Amino acid sequence: MQEKGTISIHTENIFPIIKKFLYSDHEIFLRELVSNAVDASQKMKRLAVLGEYKGDLGEVRVEVSVNKKKKTITISDRGIGMTAEEIKKYINQIAFSGATEFVEKFKDAGDAKEIIGKFGLGFYSAFMVADNVEIDTLSYQEGAEPARWICDGSTEFEITEGTRKERGTTITLHVNKDSVEFLEESRIQNVLTKYAKFLPIEVKFGEKDKQVEDGEDKEGKKKYKTVKEDNIINNTTPLWTKSPNDLTDEDYLNFYKELYPFSEEPLFWIHLNVDYPFELTGILYFPKLKKDFEVQKNKIQLYSRQVFITDETKDVVPEFLMLLHGVIDSPDIPLNVSRSYLQSDGNVKKINTYISKKVADKLSELFKKERESYESKWEDIGLFVKYGMISDEKFYDKAKDFVLVKNTAGKYFTMKEYEAHIEANQVDKDNNKVWLYATNVAKQDSFISDAVDKGYDVIVLDTPIDSHFINHMETKMENTQIKRVDADNIDKLVDKDEKRELVINDEQKEAVKGVFDKAINNKTYTVAIEPLAPSDAPVSVTMPEFMRRMKDMQATGGGGFNMFGSMPDNYNVTVNGNHKLVDKIIKATEEGDKEGLAKQAFDLALLSQGLLEGKALTDFIKRSTAILGE
Ligand code: ADP
Ligand code: MG
């Protein structure tokens, strides 16, 4: 048997589902109804421009009001209005969007891009907060009759002749008992400020107080009085809708202040503007980061045709750019759908790629044109750049030419410049270039000075992202090793295979090692006697590069490293076999004197690394003091 047919949907069943699940946030009803009012107003203006409407436009604005006593909210516009027939068509048929039809109809007569509506579902969000919804409307069309529609949220409605005299539409919501919060003016003011702040048609919500000058008092001081003025919610022409060519730096800075009144001035900004293969405009600002960058997330606001959608832009903006501030406006981002859908959406992916490319281009341009200013901002932008390089291959390819490293003398280099800088000298016996870095210039000073004495250069990598950055760069750079300056004795770090002779014999060497082992008496320290220059430090304590990186990764939660458990600290103790101290130890007659010398030299090495504390530190100071008195 074979049969074909259409699955039937009973509206009575589906209606409550739409009401309940369409939007998780009830306040959205206001966004939807105000957007509809703005759409109707925009259409009206467009018809006038096209000559389809020859009458007087009047003041085209949207008004929202609340009546606490009557428990109503009204949204009223001077847009195109609807005839009874149109109500039946656009309102009664769910998901039949008049907006889409309007755009279709006028698509050849210039674009109708300013229309917000798209899905034909928004109006019904009113029933999330209202028991009864009324529409009072009069179409702009000549000879149109006013119409009135009432619905209690069931699938039954009533249309009657209306009384409205003025072109446009008023929606009245009889607020239900669970939604009385929306009868508070402050609540409505907040919701409007959130969603309607940049809508293209003026939105008025009651009146507000304003201080104006009122002559002078007897002492000649200015007097002020309070007057009422319209409370206009929005700036109808936000900066991102304007052409970058018409804008000054001051405009951008002022707009930043409008968005984030309490923030410090941004470093620079990017004006985004594409219309193919997707539409997107916006302005992204690079903020001053400082150390507390965690709190600054979620500062990018997402708009669709000037309607605020969300400030959770996680899926739209590449992760490494989440710390940027600003606005993105795109009608091509699906709005009323779930997260997982957003992630797999083709447009969203393209937008992601575009933004990342734009940011790379801007940084590259700044670097090339204003290197000095770029360097001065590096402390703030370095984090974006490094994070971007680690997480985004395409960004890496561009950023490798403008990522900077700073050496301990405060000079900045690009990667290429730095390679050239160290090429002649900082190369080991296997022809590997060795990059030396410090994470704490003050603490690692003795090691830095050892390196500098050899004519080597040391860069400073002291931000939280740097350990990851180093790992990443090593996989990218050929024949290059990156080593922390205190990971070993400098002659080992840059091993040129210059054999130096040990002045003591093997037997003496073993004996000295034994003395140190006993004096230190701790298995986490591995002692080795090395032939160093007599002028080098007698003893140095270092943690091998490999060991320290494992620990760093573990500390920052790098994947897979937990199998090591919590790793103990393991250190290498290098004793300079050619130092006078060793001679002194050999010559000492008493076992106690030998160990005392070794212990003192070892503690001194620990001290220089900031590793000596507590009782060990107190004992060291006591012993040193005693020596001074001898
Ligand atoms: P959408 O806005 O996505 O088209 P809605 O459910 O919000 O869907 O609205 C459905 C339709 O009802 C609109 O497309 C429009 O034709 C009509 N409409 C809604 N509100 C108004 C209004 N204030 N003035 C004129 N028409 C309106
Ligand atoms: Mg709508």
Side-chain angles (χ1 to χ4, degrees):
M1 194 185 88
Q2 196 191 24
E3 193 179 320
K4 282 190 176 175
T6 322
I7 293 170
S8 61
I9 295 171
H10 290 278
T11 42
E12 318 72 87
N13 301 337
I14 207 97
F15 203 36
I17 296 175
I18 291 176
K19 275 195 296 187
K20 199 156 174 208
F21 297 112
L22 187 54
Y23 302 103
S24 48
D25 233 349
H26 282 187
E27 65 186 31
I28 291 287
F29 80 92
L30 198 55
R31 179 186 88 187
E32 292 299 324
L33 296 179
V34 171
S35 300
N36 282 350
V38 166
D39 272 355
S41 310
Q42 294 278 59
K43 288 177 192 167
M44 200 57 233
K45 281 177 140 181
R46 177 151 290 273
L47 290 172
V49 170
L50 294 173
E52 300 252 335
Y53 177 74
K54 302 209 167 52
D56 180 19
L57 263 189
E59 190 177 31
V60 180
R61 62 148 75 143
V62 174
E63 275 195 56
V64 178
S65 58
V66 185
N67 188 324
K68 218 170 165 175
K69 264 202 207 117
K70 290 189 185 160
K71 297 197 173 66
T72 58
I73 301 171
T74 58
I75 297 98
S76 145
D77 65 65
R78 300 223 43 221
I80 55 172
M82 284 179 278
T83 61
E85 286 311 305
E86 284 167 336
I87 295 181
K88 283 184 211 160
K89 187 168 164 193
Y90 298 136
I91 300 289
N92 293 346
Q93 294 183 39
I94 292 189
F96 183 94
S97 171
T100 319
E101 198 184 55
F102 185 89
V103 174
E104 269 304 301
K105 191 168 158 201
F106 290 105
K107 82 169 173 234
D108 299 329
D111 56 351
K113 278 181 182 163
E114 65 272 23
I115 308 302
I116 301 161
K118 210 176 207 169
F119 305 101
L121 286 172
F123 175 78
Y124 281 91
S125 62
F127 289 104
M128 297 190 302
V129 298
D131 290 329
N132 262 285
V133 178
E134 286 172 43
I135 303 176
D136 278 295
T137 178
L138 174 62
S139 166
Y140 76 99
Q141 292 159 70
E142 248 184 74
E145 298 287 335
R148 187 176 157 76
W149 175 94
I150 301 181
C151 178
D152 63 1
S154 71
T155 48
E156 275 160 33
F157 67 90
E158 189 187 295
I159 295 188
T160 53
E161 276 171 23
T163 52
R164 196 182 164 100
K165 304 246 156 26
E166 202 182 42
R167 178 199 80 222
T169 305
T170 298
I171 310 285
T172 306
L173 310 184
H174 296 270
V175 173
N176 65 32
K177 34 175 210 311
D178 295 336
S179 307
V180 286
E181 61 179 293
F182 294 110
L183 293 171
E184 299 300 330
E185 277 184 19
S186 58
R187 181 81 169 100
I188 295 292
Q189 172 76 31
N190 282 342
V191 179
L192 286 174
T193 310
K194 180 168 172 189
Y195 294 100
K197 198 172 171 196
F198 296 116
L199 280 176
I201 296 282
E202 260 186 21
V203 178
K204 180 192 160 191
F205 180 52
E207 293 184 318
K208 63 179 176 194
D209 291 344
K210 188 189 173 184
Q211 303 290 321
V212 292
E213 279 181 29
D214 185 26
E216 289 176 356
D217 64 13
K218 283 180 222 132
E219 279 108 59
K221 273 201 201 143
K222 276 181 184 156
K223 284 202 300 183
Y224 291 90
K225 66 175 178 189
T226 309
V227 293
K228 294 278 177 198
E229 69 169 8
D230 288 348
N231 176 27
I232 303 296
I233 297 290
N234 47 341
N235 164 4
T236 55
T237 51
L239 211 66
W240 76 84
T241 62
K242 297 179 184 170
S243 162
N245 296 333
D246 302 337
L247 300 172
T248 63
D249 286 0
E250 209 189 336
D251 293 329
Y252 287 103
L253 292 172
N254 285 339
F255 186 61
Y256 187 76
K257 257 190 224 132
E258 191 177 338
L259 291 172
Y260 316 104
F262 304 109
S263 289
E264 253 186 281
E265 255 185 30
L267 296 167
F268 50 88
W269 46 86
I270 307 170
H271 199 135
L272 307 167
N273 202 338
V274 239
D275 42 29
Y276 186 81
F278 49 85
E279 262 182 69
L280 181 130
T281 50
I283 300 172
L284 291 178
Y285 290 92
F286 274 72
K288 287 213 178 93
L289 274 185
K290 299 280 152 54
K291 295 278 180 281
D292 59 342
F293 57 81
E294 269 306 314
V295 296
Q296 307 198 33
K297 276 195 174 178
N298 283 343
K299 284 275 190 141
I300 299 178
Q301 305 179 353
L302 184 62
Y303 289 77
S304 176
R305 299 201 194 287
Q306 294 172 238
V307 187
F308 173 79
I309 305 301
T310 177
D311 51 14
E312 282 185 28
T313 48
K314 212 167 107 238
D315 303 311
V316 184
V317 178
E319 205 204 329
F320 75 97
L321 295 176
M322 287 296 288
L323 299 175
L324 298 186
H325 295 175
V327 294
I328 292 174
D329 187 334
S330 175
D332 290 327
I333 299 171
L335 306 177
N336 303 309
V337 287
S338 72
R339 257 282 147 72
S340 54
Y341 182 80
L342 204 55
Q343 280 166 347
S344 61
D345 185 77
N347 272 333
V348 170
K349 282 213 187 84
K350 280 185 220 150
I351 287 171
N352 227 296
T353 315
Y354 167 80
I355 293 176
S356 165
K357 180 180 173 304
K358 270 296 192 204
V359 169
D361 291 348
K362 175 75 188 186
L363 289 165
S364 167
E365 179 197 311
L366 267 180
F367 169 71
K368 282 184 194 143
K369 288 197 189 148
E370 303 164 41
R371 172 135 182 192
E372 211 174 302
S373 134
Y374 181 83
E375 285 184 359
S376 72
K377 289 165 183 163
W378 183 249
E379 299 276 307
D380 291 286
I381 51 183
L383 183 81
F384 293 109
V385 175
K386 287 172 184 172
Y387 191 22
M389 289 174 82
I390 294 168
S391 58
D392 181 337
E393 249 331 277
K394 283 203 182 117
F395 186 82
Y396 176 92
D397 287 337
K398 297 194 166 188
K400 67 180 190 317
D401 296 330
F402 55 74
V403 65
L404 297 181
V405 291
K406 186 175 83 170
N407 70 9
T408 49
K411 187 169 164 25
Y412 287 94
F413 302 84
T414 63
M415 302 298 244
K416 269 214 188 91
E417 290 164 354
Y418 197 67
E419 299 229 311
H421 183 65
I422 63 164
E423 204 168 46
N425 189 21
Q426 234 161 294
V427 181
D428 71 8
K429 60 181 182 347
D430 303 317
N431 225 4
N432 282 316
K433 277 164 264 169
V434 183
W435 290 36
L436 298 171
Y437 70 98
T439 50
N440 186 326
V441 175
K443 276 196 173 174
Q444 292 150 7
D445 185 70
S446 66
F447 291 93
I448 295 170
S449 104
D450 283 353
V452 171
D453 285 349
K454 297 260 164 184
Y456 298 149
D457 193 272
V458 180
I459 54 177
V460 184
L461 293 174
D462 58 358
T463 62
I465 192 149
D466 280 324
S467 62
H468 299 273
F469 180 64
I470 293 164
N471 284 336
H472 195 73
M473 291 313 295
E474 258 182 352
T475 65
K476 296 283 182 183
M477 297 195 295
E478 279 177 18
N479 301 329
T480 304
Q481 294 174 348
I482 309 181
K483 295 175 178 173
R484 200 163 106 173
V485 69
D486 62 348
D488 207 336
N489 188 279
I490 189 65
D491 288 327
K492 284 274 175 62
L493 288 177
V494 188
D495 188 356
K496 299 206 168 186
D497 213 18
E498 284 165 356
K499 281 273 176 284
R500 213 186 273 276
E501 292 292 315
L502 201 57
V503 295
I504 51 175
N505 62 35
D506 283 358
E507 206 178 312
Q508 290 172 317
K509 185 178 164 187
E510 274 314 299
V512 172
K513 184 176 163 3
V515 170
F516 271 92
D517 280 336
K518 252 177 124 181
I520 295 166
N521 191 24
N522 183 335
K523 284 214 169 60
T524 56
Y525 294 94
T526 310
V527 177
I529 315 293
E530 300 284 349
L532 304 177
S535 58
D536 284 346
V539 178
S540 57
V541 178
T542 54
M543 181 183 278
E545 181 73 18
F546 157 81
M547 229 18 213
R548 217 207 44 260
R549 280 204 210 179
M550 294 286 241
K551 287 186 76 72
D552 280 356
M553 297 289 266
Q554 199 178 39
T556 51
F561 284 93
N562 290 333
M563 61 186 183
F564 289 95
S566 175
M567 278 187 297
D569 292 338
N570 272 298
Y571 294 96
N572 287 336
V573 178
T574 308
V575 176
N576 181 355
N578 295 340
H579 196 275
K580 263 191 275 176
L581 169 78
V582 169
D583 193 43
K584 222 174 168 184
I585 290 176
I586 292 169
K587 287 192 179 134
T589 46
E590 303 278 327
E591 219 29 49
D593 290 348
K594 286 179 194 278
E595 271 166 44
L597 282 168
K599 177 80 177 141
Q600 194 69 4
F602 170 69
D603 280 353
L604 185 62
L606 286 182
L607 184 75
S608 76
Q609 284 248 56
L611 289 170
L612 199 62
E613 49 188 24
K615 185 167 185 310
L617 177 60
T618 313
D619 290 349
F620 173 76
I621 293 171
K622 276 191 188 148
R623 284 197 315 268
S624 303
T625 316
I627 290 169
L628 289 175
E630 268 168 18

